[in-house]
């Protein structure tokens, strides 16, 4: 059995290349209600808290890269007032987090899927406005650039591949995560 995270949470970002080398960051912890996280943990058979965590605490964010060279982007903060604020923030990780500036990321949360590396990432879909799924796709190579959109707007999808050959898997086309596709 895999050991539990040091900070239990959901809607966190992640990066990694195997089941023995991973990174998780951000997320939302409940209880206590409204506890948005900046916590970062690395995994190599057990979870180790990395300090400091993200510069901008958030949940519903995307991630790409490896456990030692990652990218965290987008997300929401806080959980209250409703609707949450969607963030236009990108951070890179090489043992500590650095905010990328200028940031050309489109605002969104619950990324529809992401893949790639710290320097060559791709993300698609997500919520463009609270509860409204998006078709947008952006490519990253130091700046975010709009590329071909998805055929179907969705959030909560899985993703795999590279910046130039990716696969979007499943997701949700409705508000609140329903219905799945």
């Amino acid at each position: 059995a895999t050991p539990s995270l040091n900070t239990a949470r959901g809607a966190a970002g992640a990066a990694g290349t195997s089941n023995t080398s991973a990174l998780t960051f951000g997320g939302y912890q409940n209880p206590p209600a409204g506890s948005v996280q900046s916590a970062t943990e690395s995994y190599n058979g057990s979870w180790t808290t990395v300090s400091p965590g993200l510069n901008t605490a958030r949940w519903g964010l995307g991630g790409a890269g490896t456990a030692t060279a990652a990218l965290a982007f987008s997300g929401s903060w806080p959980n209250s007032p409703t609707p949450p604020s969607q963030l236009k923030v990108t951070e890179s990780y090489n043992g500590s987090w650095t905010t990328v500036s200028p940031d050309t990321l489109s605002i969104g949360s619950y990324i529809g899927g992401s893949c790639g590396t710290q320097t060559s990432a791709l993300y698609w879909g997500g919520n463009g406005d609270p509860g409204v799924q998006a078709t947008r796709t952006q490519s990253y190579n130091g700046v975010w650039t709009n590329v071909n959109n998805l055929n179907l707007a969705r959030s909560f999808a899985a993703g795999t591949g590279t910046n130039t050959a990716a696969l979007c898997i499943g997701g949700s086309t409705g508000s609140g995560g329903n219905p799945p596709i």
Side-chain angles (χ1 to χ4, degrees), residues 3 5-6 8 10 16 23 25 48 53 69-70 92 94 96 99 111 113 138 141 150-151 164-166 173:
L5 290 168
N6 295 313
L23 192 71
F25 36 87
T48 302
S92 64
N94 287 319
S96 64
T99 302
I111 298 302
Q138 286 192 299
N141 66 355
L150 289 170
N151 294 326
T164 57
T173 59

Side-chain angles (χ1 to χ4, degrees), residues 93-111:
Y93 178 82
N94 287 319
S96 64
W97 291 103
T98 302
T99 302
V100 174
S101 182
D103 198 330
T104 53
L105 177 69
S106 291
I107 295 174
S109 62
Y110 293 122
I111 298 302

Side-chain angles (χ1 to χ4, degrees), residues 8-171:
R9 56 205 139 138
T17 56
S18 74
N19 64 350
T20 59
S21 179
L23 192 71
T24 189
F25 36 87
Y28 178 77
Q29 187 178 37
N30 192 11
S35 182
V36 177
Q37 299 292 307
S38 64
T40 299
E41 296 183 43
S42 64
Y43 181 80
N44 65 359
S46 63
W47 289 102
T48 302
T49 301
V50 176
S51 185
L54 289 168
N55 295 314
T56 302
R58 55 197 187 267
W59 56 278
L61 66 160
T66 68
T68 57
L71 200 63
F73 46 91
S74 192
S76 293
W77 168 269
N79 217 29
S80 174
T82 301
S85 299
Q86 294 186 344
L87 300 173
K88 185 178 171 179
V89 178
T90 301
E91 296 182 49
S92 64
Y93 178 82
N94 287 319
S96 64
W97 291 103
T98 302
T99 302
V100 174
S101 182
D103 198 330
T104 53
L105 177 69
S106 291
I107 295 174
S109 62
Y110 293 122
I111 298 302
S114 59
C115 64
T117 67
Q118 180 191 49
T119 58
S120 181
L122 189 70
Y123 91 89
W124 52 86
N127 286 350
D129 293 311
V132 178
Q133 278 65 34
T135 59
R136 75 170 166 275
T137 301
Q138 286 192 299
S139 174
Y140 181 81
N141 66 355
V143 295
W144 290 101
T145 304
N146 291 325
V147 294
N148 295 331
N149 285 339
L150 289 170
N151 294 326
L152 178 65
R154 65 184 87 184
S155 58
F156 300 104
T160 188
T162 67
N163 186 319
T164 57
L167 184 61
C168 176
I169 306 161

